[in-house]
Amino acid sequence: MKYFYTFLLILLSVITKAQLKPGFDANEYLELLRISRQQADILKDDHTPKPIQYHRVYRSNEGPLKNRWDLWLNAQNDIAVISIRGTANDEISWLENFYAAMVPANGQLHISDTSTFIYHLANDPKANVHIGWLLGLADLSKTIIPQVKKLNAEKGIKNFIIMGHSQGAAIAYLLRSYIADLQNNKQLPADIVFKTYCSAPPKPGNTYYAYDYNYLTRGGWGIAVINAADWVPQTPFSIQTIKDFNKPNPFMNVDDVIKKQSLFVRLYMQHVYNRLRKTPEKAQKVNEKYLGKTVYTFIKKKLPQYIEPVYANDNSYTSCGLPVILMPDDDYRAKFPDKPDDIFVHHMFWSYYYLAQKEYLNQ
């Protein structure tokens, strides 16, 4: 009988072992916000509580661009959280955001003479991503992947949540894509489950990257939580040119249509078409020049051996992830009024926590 009860206890512990589920869970998200908040410096008027279910077991060193991440475990030691810090109060951390030229989602970066970051973030060769946040991923992955392997090997943990707020959310997207490739190539166990929460997320890449990420996390495994009053999820600037459309592309053959028109109609249509085509193309080149080549000169001061990559002629940034919208109401507007001297009033942890708790906790 004694052995029967022992066996029963072991069986129950296995059966009751926590398993991640797809879809938005308000309690899960609120705890993740509490965890993410611990990465930030002192914030004015922030009332986000401390984590309840998790304890921190690891904190990485800061990278050259001030990226950092924490590892948290729940009390049962069966779910781990990878918490990626957002923008730090440092000029170089902001420059990482402004380094907004795009590069192909597959390739390699020469970080230094002893460090090359090889990455595969999408299966579509047309997919492009934000170079600044890709550099953040390159640094953080050096410690994240070994810690994931260690927890899996030593504690048998197969459930991981990737959490990021703001800049941390942008890197969280790319990390999830990077991990998928490692699992496909058997560099990480295929039975580890990853769920991603991107809170207050900027746009990490172009339409084709978004398609790939959304397909990878289909079924509710990649959540994007957005306060409708927050401007950060609307960044970086999105510039769509004629060449950014799928092929066959009807806009590439407009000249053939115009040639069939009468002289005056042809002249007018050609004038309008040229304006529509050339204006976004010029804007894209300006963005690539200033948010790519110019910002690179500042990034290189922190990464002196970093070789500037060849940028994709693309700035068609697109949101991705399963959207969960936090909708401000009159009570919220009274509590979080617009302030000309505080552009982040709708972006910080407490505004997100307040709305998520109010709108989703009891559903």
Side-chain angles (χ1 to χ4, degrees), residues 129-143:
V129 296
H130 185 287
I131 178 58
W133 299 325
L134 182 61
L135 283 174
L137 171 67
D139 178 66
L140 294 178
S141 64
K142 292 185 294 185
T143 49

Side-chain angles (χ1 to χ4, degrees), residues 304-322:
Q305 295 179 339
Y306 166 53
I307 296 178
E308 186 176 23
V310 177
Y311 303 119
N313 302 134
D314 186 3
N315 280 92
S316 58
Y317 280 102
T318 305
S319 300
C320 57
L322 180 66

Side-chain angles (χ1 to χ4, degrees), residues 250-274:
F251 304 103
M252 298 298 290
N253 301 317
V254 171
D255 285 335
D256 294 336
V257 176
I258 293 175
K259 289 177 182 178
K260 298 177 182 179
Q261 309 304 313
S262 63
L263 175 61
F264 292 107
V265 172
R266 186 166 67 245
L267 291 174
Y268 177 74
M269 290 182 65
Q270 190 68 57
H271 170 73
V272 173
Y273 173 68
N274 286 339

Side-chain angles (χ1 to χ4, degrees), residues 109-274:
L109 297 177
H110 182 100
I111 308 298
S112 71
D113 294 343
T114 58
S115 178
T116 298
F117 180 58
I118 300 172
Y119 61 94
H120 181 100
L121 306 182
N123 292 322
D124 194 326
K126 299 189 294 296
N128 299 316
V129 296
H130 185 287
I131 178 58
W133 299 325
L134 182 61
L135 283 174
L137 171 67
D139 178 66
L140 294 178
S141 64
K142 292 185 294 185
T143 49
I144 291 176
I145 303 307
Q147 287 293 326
V148 170
K149 290 180 178 179
K150 181 180 178 181
L151 272 186
N152 177 254
E154 295 181 358
K155 295 183 178 294
I157 294 178
K158 296 183 179 181
N159 293 279
F160 286 81
I161 300 175
I162 302 171
M163 168 63 177
H165 188 86
S166 192
Q167 182 190 87
I171 298 174
Y173 283 123
L174 304 185
L175 174 63
R176 180 64 190 93
S177 300
Y178 181 69
I179 284 173
D181 181 62
L182 296 182
Q183 289 185 300
N184 288 338
N185 289 291
K186 300 181 179 180
Q187 296 177 52
L188 272 179
D191 61 348
I192 300 180
V193 176
F194 293 91
K195 184 177 182 179
T196 309
Y197 277 86
C198 295
S199 178
K203 295 172 281 188
N206 69 353
T207 302
Y208 302 104
Y209 172 74
Y211 288 162
D212 195 283
Y213 177 86
N214 290 345
Y215 184 75
L216 169 67
T217 60
R218 65 193 182 277
W221 292 101
I223 311 298
V225 186
I226 297 170
N227 179 351
D230 185 6
W231 60 268
V232 172
Q234 298 172 322
T235 62
F237 292 117
S238 296
I239 302 170
Q240 188 176 37
T241 65
I242 288 173
K243 65 180 179 58
D244 294 323
F245 288 87
N246 265 322
K247 295 180 180 178
N249 180 347
F251 304 103
M252 298 298 290
N253 301 317
V254 171
D255 285 335
D256 294 336
V257 176
I258 293 175
K259 289 177 182 178
K260 298 177 182 179
Q261 309 304 313
S262 63
L263 175 61
F264 292 107
V265 172
R266 186 166 67 245
L267 291 174
Y268 177 74
M269 290 182 65
Q270 190 68 57
H271 170 73
V272 173
Y273 173 68
N274 286 339

